[in-house]
């Protein structure tokens, strides 16, 4: 959900003074829709989440278990970061293709089966490689579950899917299959767009037009346009979670320092 939409929603809810009784409809595009839906559910809102497409769902405990293989109390963080980024991403994908199904069968089966029974659509991620490929290749399309899945299974969060939104109505939404959903408030969880989009506003079209692809994987299987030359001198993208930022910020700092000291030129870092 965009910041402006969140602010607008907060204003509407505060102004109405009766948000606990409002009905919500949800247009789902990326992962944050679960968390926002759960927040409303916790506060007693009658909420229906519209699921435009399937989502990869993994409980936070399973994520912790996978990360725990590397990040341990007795392993220095710097060393764990090195381990975490030591394999080519193509190899990481193959490992996660095996891991996703093992974790699903061992730890997540109850949640995934429960979601399926109430009509919530899930998937195993890009290439069947789960959360890792989704983060690195798409930057979304996943949900790290804390408790929203249980609310969906128990009926606290209702699900609507299987048909595209056709239009607004006076009382909610109309879908392409002819059904309508009554709603007092409609929240769009539209997620994040292309990281280059804001460059047009911040730096102008001339600079922004030179920025190459940002995020996703390039033809060599490496993260595109981040932590390295992105198409324009002096512009650097530092995307990623805390672990990636800790590790690759060192490489970015070395590149910038080497350029400033005249040790390398732009051509040496254009890869």
């Amino acid at each position: 959900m965009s910041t402006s939409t969140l602010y607008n929603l907060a204003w509407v809810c505060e102004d109405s003074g009766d948000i606990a009784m409002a009905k919500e409809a949800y247009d789902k595009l990326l992962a944050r829709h679960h968390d926002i839906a759960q927040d409303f559910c916790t506060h007693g809102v009658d909420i229906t989440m519209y699921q435009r497409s399937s989502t990869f769902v993994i409980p936070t405990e399973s994520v912790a278990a996978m990360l725990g293989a590397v990040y341990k109390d007795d392993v220095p963080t710097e060393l764990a970061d090195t381990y975490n980024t030591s394999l080519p991403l193509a190899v990481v994908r193959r490992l996660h293709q095996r891991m996703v199904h093992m974790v699903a069968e061992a730890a997540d089966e109850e949640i995934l089966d429960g979601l399926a029974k109430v009509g919530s659509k899930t998937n195993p991620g890009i290439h069947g490689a789960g959360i890792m490929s989704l983060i690195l290749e798409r930057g979304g399309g996943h949900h790290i579950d804390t408790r929203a899945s249980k609310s969906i299974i128990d009926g606290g969060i209702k699900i609507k899917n299987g048909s595209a939104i056709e239009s607004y109505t006076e009382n909610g939404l109309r879908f392409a299959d002819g059904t309508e959903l009554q709603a007092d408030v409609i929240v769009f969880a539209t997620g994040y767009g292309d990281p280059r989009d804001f460059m047009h506003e911040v730096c102008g079209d001339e600079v922004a037009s030179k920025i190459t692809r940002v995020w996703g994987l390039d033809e060599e299987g490496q993260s595109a346009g981040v932590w390295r030359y992105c198409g324009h001198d002096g512009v650097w993208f530092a995307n990623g979670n805390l672990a990636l930022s800790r590790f690759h910020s060192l490489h970015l700092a070395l590149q910038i320092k080497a350029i400033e000291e005249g040790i390398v030129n732009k051509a040496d870092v254009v890869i």
Side-chain angles (χ1 to χ4, degrees), residues 3 26 56 100 112 116 150 152 154 171 179-180 215 217 221 229 249 263 270:
T3 301
Y26 236 83
F56 176 74
V100 165
L112 296 177
K150 186 177 186 305
I152 294 172
D154 294 342
N171 301 309
T179 61
E180 293 189 10
W215 206 248
L217 301 182
Y229 184 71
S249 61
I263 299 174
V270 177

Side-chain angles (χ1 to χ4, degrees), residues 63-86:
V63 174
M66 289 191 295
L67 293 176
V70 175
Y71 291 94
K72 304 177 181 179
D73 291 339
D74 58 347
V75 177
T77 301
E78 295 81 1
L79 184 58
D81 284 343
T82 302
Y83 288 158
N84 191 44
T85 56
S86 61

Side-chain angles (χ1 to χ4, degrees), residues 5-192:
T5 302
L6 281 171
Y7 277 128
N8 290 336
L9 175 65
W11 182 85
V12 169
C13 294
E14 183 177 357
D15 187 66
S16 69
D18 196 21
I19 188 59
M21 300 302 294
K23 290 182 178 180
E24 309 297 330
Y26 236 83
D27 179 21
K28 175 263 178 182
L29 295 181
L30 290 177
R32 291 179 63 188
H33 68 297
H34 282 84
D35 298 322
I36 305 171
Q38 178 59 48
D39 186 55
F40 281 115
C41 179
T42 300
H43 288 82
V45 175
D46 180 7
I47 180 169
T48 298
M49 182 169 69
Y50 170 63
Q51 187 181 35
R52 191 187 68 162
S53 59
S54 61
T55 304
F56 176 74
V57 177
I58 183 170
T60 184
E61 295 83 2
S62 296
V63 174
M66 289 191 295
L67 293 176
V70 175
Y71 291 94
K72 304 177 181 179
D73 291 339
D74 58 347
V75 177
T77 301
E78 295 81 1
L79 184 58
D81 284 343
T82 302
Y83 288 158
N84 191 44
T85 56
S86 61
L87 294 175
L89 296 181
V91 176
V92 173
R93 177 193 296 166
R94 293 292 291 173
L95 291 174
H96 276 260
Q97 285 174 330
R98 299 181 180 182
M99 191 183 307
V100 165
H101 296 288
M102 292 173 59
V103 172
E105 292 176 359
D108 305 342
E109 185 174 9
E110 182 178 352
I111 288 178
L112 296 177
D113 287 349
L115 291 173
K117 288 178 181 178
V118 297
S120 182
K121 298 179 180 179
T122 62
N123 64 60
I126 301 173
H127 313 295
I131 190 170
M132 186 58 64
S133 284
L134 283 165
I135 290 175
L136 294 176
E137 297 185 46
R138 177 178 166 184
H142 64 277
H143 170 59
I144 300 176
D145 183 59
T146 53
R147 52 179 174 162
S149 289
K150 186 177 186 305
S151 295
I152 294 172
I153 294 170
D154 294 342
I157 300 174
K158 296 183 284 295
I159 294 293
K160 168 66 177 177
N161 55 30
S163 182
I165 294 176
E166 185 176 80
S167 65
Y168 292 105
T169 67
E170 292 184 0
N171 301 309
L173 294 172
R174 178 182 293 112
F175 296 87
D177 62 2
T179 61
E180 293 189 10
L181 180 63
Q182 302 295 308
D184 296 325
V185 180
I186 300 171
V187 183
F188 289 89
T190 52
Y192 302 101

